[in-house]
């Protein structure tokens, strides 16, 4: 299972604890260091790389699942990243996606402590997900209001896009 933009590794470590073989990447060396400490403390191992996706050594159809959890890439590359990540997923594989929606800016304007990107082009819409993942059977695709309680920087109501799709 691949975790792009994994940050400090909470999701990757959780998946490893469930028995998944986990790979992750991010552009932050500090995030990698924290993730590896968390994995060690939980007695699991994860393969964690630092760098830009196109420079990493992943292969086509390498993964059974990809979890894009609040993976907000810069607007200029996010659709291209989704297409490249899709190539790394096997036929029949699953994408699990949750990230802030374009409507999240309204929540952010009312409560900065909810966090998330402040640039609308880094946020998502249902239509954008359909466009980025056209060769998928949609299992779940929704925009949803949620309550965040994730440490200091993600507290309050927000709006997310949730997508689970199986590659055809």
């Amino acid at each position: 299972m691949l975790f792009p933009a994994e940050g400090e590794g909470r999701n990757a470590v959780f998946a490893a604890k469930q028995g998944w073989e986990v790979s992750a990447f991010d552009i932050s060396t500090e995030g990698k260091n924290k993730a590896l400490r968390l994995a060690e403390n939980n007695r699991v191992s994860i393969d964690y790389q630092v760098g830009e996706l196109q420079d990493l050594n992943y292969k086509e159809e390498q993964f059974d699942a990809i979890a894009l959890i609040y993976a907000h890439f810069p607007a200029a590359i996010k659709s291209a990243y989704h297409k490249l990540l899709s190539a790394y997923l096997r036929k029949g594989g699953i994408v699990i996606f949750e990230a802030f929606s374009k409507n999240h800016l309204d929540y952010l304007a009312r409560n900065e402590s909810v966090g998330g990107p402040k640039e609308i082009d880094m946020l998502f819409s249902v239509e954008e997900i359909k466009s980025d993942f056209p060769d998928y059977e949609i299992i779940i695709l929704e925009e949803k209001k949620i309550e965040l309680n994730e440490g200091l920087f993600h507290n309050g109501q927000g709006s997310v896009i949730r997508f689970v799709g199986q590659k055809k």
Side-chain angles (χ1 to χ4, degrees):
M1 180 172 215
L2 178 61
F3 287 84
E6 178 52 8
E8 297 180 3
R10 289 181 300 170
N11 294 309
V13 168
F14 176 82
K17 288 173 68 173
Q18 305 310 305
W20 283 89
E21 183 178 321
V22 173
S23 295
F25 73 89
D26 201 289
I27 58 171
S28 169
T29 301
E30 183 59 30
K32 174 185 177 177
N33 293 339
K34 288 181 178 181
L36 293 178
R37 282 193 301 272
L38 183 62
E40 184 179 336
N41 290 340
N42 282 273
R43 295 185 173 93
V44 295
S45 66
I46 58 175
D47 170 50
Y48 198 115
Q49 297 184 46
V50 174
E52 298 289 343
L53 177 59
Q54 67 275 10
D55 299 328
L56 303 175
N57 60 356
Y58 300 123
K59 297 175 181 63
E60 285 193 18
E61 300 187 0
Q62 180 177 346
F63 298 101
D64 292 318
I66 296 175
L68 289 151
I69 309 301
Y70 296 94
H72 289 275
F73 300 111
I77 64 169
K78 69 180 183 175
S79 287
Y81 262 35
H82 288 166
K83 288 173 179 33
L84 184 54
L85 287 165
S86 185
Y88 297 150
L89 188 64
R90 292 184 180 104
K91 184 178 179 181
I94 299 289
V95 166
I96 302 164
F97 176 99
E98 181 168 303
F100 291 114
S101 78
K102 292 187 183 297
N103 290 321
H104 182 69
L105 288 180
D106 294 337
Y107 294 91
L108 189 57
R110 292 191 298 264
N111 174 14
E112 283 204 9
S113 67
V114 74
K118 295 178 180 177
E119 297 173 37
I120 196 160
D121 291 339
M122 289 184 72
L123 303 172
F124 296 94
S125 68
V126 166
E127 295 75 24
E128 192 172 11
I129 296 303
K130 285 180 182 177
S131 176
D132 285 358
F133 298 97
D135 300 324
Y136 285 74
E137 177 185 334
I138 296 171
I139 298 167
I140 296 170
L141 180 54
E142 65 184 1
E143 182 170 353
K144 187 167 179 109
K145 181 171 87 170
I146 62 166
E147 185 73 31
L148 291 160
N149 187 11
E150 301 288 328
L152 293 176
F153 302 109
H154 297 290
N155 286 290
Q157 288 187 336
S159 179
V160 297
I161 300 292
R162 288 183 174 160
F163 168 61
V164 177
Q166 184 171 28
K167 190 174 181 181
K168 296 179 186 175

